[in-house]
Amino acid sequence: MILRKTAQRHPLFVIVLAQLCGTSLWFSINGVWLSLSRELGLSESDLGSLTLSVQAGFIIGTLAIAITGLADRYRASYIFACSSLLGALMNAGFVLTASSPPFDLFMRFLTGLCLAGIYPLGMKLVIGWTPKHTGTALAWLVGMLTLGTAMPHLLRGITPGLPWQWPLLGSSVLALLGGMMILFLGDGPHLPISTAKTRLRTGLAGLRSLRFRAVAGGYFGHCWELYAFWTLTPLLITREVLRMQASPTVIPLLSFVVIGLGFVGCIGGGKLSRRFGSEWVANGSLAISGIICLAYPFLPWAPPGTLLFLLALWGITVIADSPQFSALAAAAAPREFVGASLAVMNAIGFALTLPAIWITSNLWESQGAWVTLWLLPGPVLGLWSMRRLNNQECQSQHQY
C-alpha cells in the first residue's frame, strides 16, 4: 500500500521508467549483434530477419488487442505487467535458441507479441494518469521507449568482456522491474474501463475521421523511416568506426548515443509543442530527418566525425515527432475507444516497418550507405499527409 501511494504521487515518472525497462526487450538482439555475427556466423540479412520477427509479433499483438478489446475492457496495468513478465521470459529464451533456427525467430516473434502489451498500454496509462498536456507526457513516454531501444547497446558497451548472453539477460531483468512498477502504480482515474463489446471495426472507427486519417498518415511515414534507421544504426556506425581505425568496442556505445539522443528530441519536441503545437513539431521533425536521409549517402567524402554528428542529429529528429503523432491521434480518436484506435494505428504503422527493414537489411551488403535513400518515402509521404490536415484546418477557419 505504501509503495502504491508513493508511486501514485509521481505517476508519469513511474510509467516512463517502466517503459524504459520494458522496451529494452525490443532491440536486445541488435545490442549484441557483433558478438552473434562473430560467434554464430550470422549476416546482416539475419539481423533483419530477427528484427522483422519482433515487428511481426508486435503487429499481431496490437491487432489482437484491438480485436478482443483488451485495451479498453481490462486494466491496462495488469496487461502491462503480464506482458513484461512474459516478454522477459521469451527474451531470455533466445539464449537457448540462438543457434537453432527457426526457433530463434519464433522466440523473437513471441517477444514482439509481448511488447504489444507494453508500448500501446503505456500510452493509455499516460492518458489515464495525466490527461492534461498529453503531448508533453507522451514525449517523456516515447523518449523512454527510445532509451529502452538503445539500452541493449549500452549493456553490451559496458560488458565488453562478458559473453553476449549477459547483456541479453539484463534486458529481461529490466523488463521484470518495469512490470512490477506498473503493478504497484495501477490504472489512472481518467479513462474508465469500457464494458462495450469491441470488434476490429471499433478500432478502425478513428479512421472515419479526416483528421485522424491525416495524423495516422503522418505516423505511418514516420514508422517507415524510424525502425529501419534504428536497425541500420550499428551498421552505419561500424562503417565510420572502421574508417577512423578505432576499436570496435566503441561501436555499441556510439550506437547507444545515436539512438538514445532521440530522448532529447522527444523531450525537446514536447516542450516546443506547448508553445507551437504538436503539428508544428511533427512537421518540423519529419522535414529535418527527411533532409538528412536524402543528404547522408551523398557525403561519403566527409570526415567520419562529421557523419557521426549527422547520424546523431538524425537520431534526435527521427523520433521527436512520434509522441506528437500519438497526442494528435489520441485527441482525434473516439474517447471511449482510445486504446483500440491507438492499437490499430500502431499495428498499421508497424506493418510498414517490415518492408523498410527487409529492404535495407538485405541491400546493405550491395548498396552500403545508399540504402538510406529507401527510407526517404517515409518523411515525404508523412509530410504530404500532414499537409492535408493543415488544409483541413485552414478550411474550417475560413468557414467561421
Side-chain angles (χ1 to χ4, degrees), residues 59-345:
I59 294 165
I60 298 299
T62 50
L63 285 175
I65 287 174
I67 292 171
T68 60
L70 284 174
D72 295 301
R73 296 174 62 190
Y74 298 96
R75 293 188 178 278
S77 57
Y78 291 171
I79 299 174
F80 189 106
C82 290
S83 298
S84 298
L85 170 61
L86 293 174
L89 294 175
M90 298 304 105
N91 183 69
F94 181 84
V95 172
L96 303 175
T97 61
S99 58
S100 303
F103 298 107
D104 57 343
L105 296 174
F106 184 60
M107 295 307 294
R108 295 310 292 164
F109 173 84
L110 293 177
T111 303
L113 201 67
C114 295
L115 282 165
I118 296 176
Y119 178 39
L121 274 296
M123 287 194 289
K124 185 174 182 182
L125 285 165
V126 164
I127 296 169
W129 279 103
T130 57
K132 295 182 179 180
H133 306 302
T134 304
T136 303
L138 288 175
W140 279 92
L141 184 77
V142 179
M144 285 302 188
L145 162 68
T146 306
L147 282 181
T149 302
M151 186 59 66
H153 295 288
L154 177 61
L155 292 175
R156 174 76 283 187
I158 62 178
T159 58
L162 293 178
W164 60 266
Q165 291 88 343
W166 286 100
L168 193 73
L169 293 174
S171 296
S172 291
V173 172
L174 288 175
L176 290 174
L177 291 175
M180 290 175 61
M181 284 187 283
I182 293 298
L183 199 59
F184 280 120
L185 176 66
D187 285 52
H190 301 289
L191 280 180
I193 297 176
S194 173
T195 57
K197 189 175 182 179
T198 307
R199 296 184 176 91
L200 180 59
R201 65 172 178 266
T202 302
L204 294 171
L207 294 176
R208 298 176 191 147
S209 164
L210 180 60
R211 180 176 179 81
F212 187 88
R213 288 201 305 272
V215 173
Y219 176 76
F220 298 155
H222 152 81
C223 285
W224 175 273
E225 178 191 18
L226 175 63
Y227 280 86
F229 170 73
W230 280 349
T231 303
L232 289 174
T233 294
L235 304 179
L236 293 168
I237 287 177
T238 298
R239 176 176 175 270
E240 304 309 324
V241 168
L242 292 176
R243 289 178 62 204
M244 292 188 299
Q245 298 182 341
S247 171
T249 58
V250 304
I251 293 173
L253 292 175
L254 288 174
S255 298
F256 169 77
V257 171
V258 168
I259 297 175
L261 277 173
F263 173 81
V264 177
C266 290
I267 303 307
K271 291 183 178 180
L272 288 173
S273 71
R274 300 183 67 173
R275 181 175 181 181
F276 299 105
S278 293
E279 295 171 33
W280 186 88
V281 175
N283 286 325
S285 299
L286 273 177
I288 296 173
S289 65
I291 291 171
I292 298 174
C293 180
L294 175 63
Y296 186 87
F298 291 96
L299 300 173
W301 47 266
T306 301
L307 291 181
L308 286 174
F309 174 80
L310 199 61
L311 287 175
L313 181 60
W314 199 352
I316 292 173
T317 56
V318 75
I319 187 64
D321 48 0
S322 186
Q324 307 312 318
F325 283 129
S326 297
L328 290 167
R335 189 66 179 171
E336 66 274 21
F337 298 118
V338 171
S341 297
L342 291 178
V344 167
M345 188 182 80

Side-chain angles (χ1 to χ4, degrees), residues 19-35:
Q19 185 84 339
L20 164 66
C21 294
T23 54
S24 67
L25 301 174
W26 215 309
F27 274 49
S28 59
I29 302 304
N30 302 61
V32 296
W33 179 247
L34 290 178
S35 297

